[in-house]
Amino acid sequence: MASRPVQKETSSRPHFLQFNNLACETAGGKVIFATDEWFAPARNLLKRDPPEFIASAFTEYGKWMDGWETRRKRIAGHDWCIIQLGVPGIIHGFDVDTSFFTGNYAPYTSIQAACLDQMPSFTLEGDRTGMAASPSQFEAVAQLYSDSWEELVPMIKLNPGYSESCHNYLNVTYPHRVTHIRLNIYPDGGIARLKVYGIGKTDWSTVSSQDLVDLVALVNGGVCVGYSDAHFGHPRNMIGLGRADNMGDGWETARRLDRPKVLKVNEKGILQVRGCEWAILRLGHPGIISKIEVDTNHFKGNFPDSCKIEACSLTPDEENNFIHNQWRSDKPPKWRILLSPQKLKAHHRHLFAGESVVQCGPVTHVRLVIAPDGGVSRLRLWGRPVSNNLTHPQQISKLLRQRSIAGQIVSAWWRKILLESCAIKSGLLCSYNAPAI
């Protein structure tokens, strides 16, 4: 069995790779139609794990492949499939990965998109290897008129699935919300994975001012915009749905080499180390954060010793400038402490509320700092969204007073919530209805 080595981050790779994969199976993405799935089913396109190759693996239909592969076409037309995004949002780019498809990859592709008001009633179930779309399935999908959807990527030539050429990165400029995409291949062949990188888009006008919302959640438009290290797992995993499946479904750094040879702790039991790692995330909407969850689920021998969280408010232009400079600048963001350094435990949900969370006012970005290194599976930042135009100190002061009063009223309610699971269902806004104030 062979697997593709993880590609190192380089400045030449497109920035959109830091965004969320809106089509991943773990985010609820699914294939609802495919013209043909003879050698390998289209659902493989949305797997989270990297493609693998098993030289000795065959099925009754031919060579087993970890991707979507159609038969050699002997009729008119070309092959295509329709994917329903797990998280509707704004798409910034694609990775059409042809890993291990070398003599059988799709030579060309194009991608179309649409925002459907109603989700189609049909889908694909079970292992469809060796199958093709039936006349009734063609009839049902025809009602979507997908051939006239907006073209995000015109027909483009793909590269074969060798390690140096398998990732076909495609930038997209399309500022509209997307729920479904149509992946066309010409005329037939195979693709290992399709990753749809973007940012979830929620209708914030439907959110009550009394709701506590996870402002950084994937489904609510949160996104990672920078980090110091992601050797074993990307920070964007921390804002995924539900609790992590395993360590690979979280953020994990390499071991820092600048740690003291003999470790010491302070009076609070926190390791005294020089170095740290960090991840910066943009909230889905500006807001006032009042509750925090740092989950080290599955990280038992590699959890961070401690963490702290800082917050700030940035304009889009300021953010773009920091991203361009990889968050290194003579004038860094004005970070404010949101959560002071906290000792962490292995494989544990750490919940912070009340006086533990510093009143920072409305913020747009947070920086999670872990020391010295390690892994975090999930980060939840519960708060109330505020107006994008809320910048005057008088307005902030008024909101902070309201927040203080609200905190007293909901304290009993929050203690109950802390004991409940915060599982998130795909496509739903992550919120709880707080008592009226």
Side-chain angles (χ1 to χ4, degrees):
M1 181 175 72
S3 60
R4 182 74 64 215
V6 176
Q7 197 168 5
K8 293 183 179 181
E9 297 287 338
T10 67
S11 58
S12 62
R13 301 181 75 202
H15 174 69
F16 65 70
L17 296 182
Q18 284 195 177
F19 294 163
N20 308 309
N21 181 4
L22 304 180
C24 185
E25 61 180 2
T26 59
K30 59 182 180 180
V31 177
I32 63 172
F33 175 85
T35 54
D36 187 85
E37 300 172 273
W38 182 264
F39 289 108
R43 68 180 183 182
N44 290 340
L45 289 169
L46 311 184
K47 286 182 178 179
R48 181 186 64 193
D49 296 332
E52 61 180 10
F53 183 78
I54 304 174
S56 60
F58 288 83
T59 74
E60 62 179 299
Y61 304 103
K63 180 70 185 76
W64 178 89
M65 294 296 291
D66 189 11
W68 174 39
E69 186 182 1
T70 68
R71 73 190 82 199
R72 301 188 189 211
K73 212 163 189 65
R74 298 297 184 256
I75 59 175
H78 66 90
D79 287 315
W80 51 280
C81 69
I82 290 182
I83 296 167
Q84 182 171 300
L85 301 184
V87 179
I90 308 299
I91 296 174
H92 290 267
F94 297 96
D95 177 10
V96 182
D97 182 356
T98 58
S99 288
F100 303 112
F101 287 91
T102 53
N104 52 347
Y105 69 99
Y108 297 89
T109 190
S110 70
I111 302 176
Q112 297 167 269
C115 183
L116 304 183
D117 294 330
Q118 293 184 335
M119 295 298 105
S121 58
F122 56 86
T123 188
L124 300 178
E125 301 290 349
D127 183 5
R128 292 182 52 81
T129 304
M131 301 179 69
S134 66
S136 62
Q137 288 174 319
F138 272 108
E139 183 178 344
V141 79
Q143 302 304 309
L144 300 181
Y145 302 100
S146 62
D147 55 339
S148 62
W149 287 359
E150 189 76 21
E151 187 176 67
L152 301 191
V153 178
M155 189 184 297
I156 188 171
K157 186 176 182 179
L158 292 176
N159 296 315
Y162 300 106
S163 59
E164 67 275 11
S165 62
C166 61
H167 291 284
N168 297 268
Y169 296 127
L170 308 173
N171 282 285
V172 171
T173 303
Y174 186 67
H176 304 291
R177 184 174 185 264
V178 171
T179 61
H180 293 75
I181 62 171
R182 171 170 160 156
L183 174 66
N184 301 296
I185 58 175
Y186 304 95
D188 52 36
I191 292 174
R193 295 288 187 271
L194 176 68
K195 295 185 178 180
V196 182
Y197 289 102
I199 301 173
K201 186 171 178 60
T202 291
D203 182 3
W204 289 96
S205 66
T206 64
V207 182
S208 168
S209 61
Q210 303 306 318
D211 284 352
L212 277 180
V213 179
D214 183 0
L215 297 170
V216 79
L218 161 64
V219 296
N220 292 338
V223 64
C224 176
V225 292
Y227 58 88
S228 59
D229 184 89
H231 190 86
F232 294 110
H234 199 286
R236 63 169 167 256
N237 294 337
M238 293 189 294
I239 61 176
L241 279 67
R243 297 194 76 193
D245 294 332
N246 50 50
M247 287 196 307
D249 191 19
W251 172 40
E252 185 182 1
T253 72
R255 300 190 192 209
R256 291 190 65 89
L257 302 180
D258 59 358
R259 290 170 296 158
K261 295 179 178 62
V262 179
L263 299 173
K264 297 180 180 180
V265 300
N266 64 11
E267 65 279 1
K268 295 182 179 180
I270 295 177
L271 285 179
Q272 299 301 285
V273 292
R274 293 190 303 270
C276 63
E277 304 293 355
W278 52 266
I280 298 174
L281 301 111
R282 184 206 309 152
L283 305 184
H285 194 285
I288 297 177
I289 297 168
S290 57
K291 322 290 180 184
I292 296 172
E293 176 183 333
V294 179
D295 190 356
T296 57
N297 191 27
H298 302 297
F299 290 98
K300 301 174 182 179
N302 50 352
F303 63 99
D305 176 72
S306 64
C307 78
K308 68 177 180 178
I309 300 177
E310 301 166 321
C312 70
S313 292
L314 297 175
T315 66
D317 287 343
E318 288 172 333
E319 180 197 81
N320 288 336
N321 182 58
F322 285 122
I323 290 175
H324 178 74
N325 292 294
Q326 297 183 322
W327 297 93
R328 293 190 293 267
S329 173
D330 295 334
K331 295 182 179 180
K334 296 179 180 179
W335 295 109
R336 293 166 279 169
I337 289 293
L338 178 65
L339 180 70
S340 61
Q342 303 287 330
K343 183 77 173 179
L344 298 180
K345 300 177 182 178
H347 190 55
H348 183 75
R349 293 176 78 181
H350 305 78
L351 303 162
F352 306 99
E355 295 181 356
S356 297
V357 180
V358 180
Q359 297 183 4
C360 285
V363 297
T364 60
H365 293 69
V366 297
R367 179 167 66 175
L368 173 62
V369 181
I370 60 174
D373 48 43
V376 174
S377 63
R378 290 293 185 266
L379 175 66
R380 307 295 185 202
L381 302 175
W382 302 88
R384 290 182 172 84
V386 300
S387 168
N388 287 301
N389 299 320
L390 186 62
T391 56
H392 298 296
Q394 297 88 343
Q395 293 173 301
I396 295 175
S397 177
K398 180 179 178 182
L399 268 172
L400 289 176
R401 288 196 299 272
Q402 292 174 342
R403 175 178 179 267
S404 178
I405 296 171
Q408 298 174 34
I409 295 176
V410 303
S411 59
W413 164 82
W414 178 249
R415 283 195 296 272
K416 179 176 180 294
I417 290 298
L418 294 185
L419 300 176
E420 298 177 352
S421 171
C422 293
I424 304 169
K425 294 182 179 180
S426 175
L428 298 178
L429 184 69
C430 183
S431 66
Y432 287 97
N433 292 320
I437 297 173

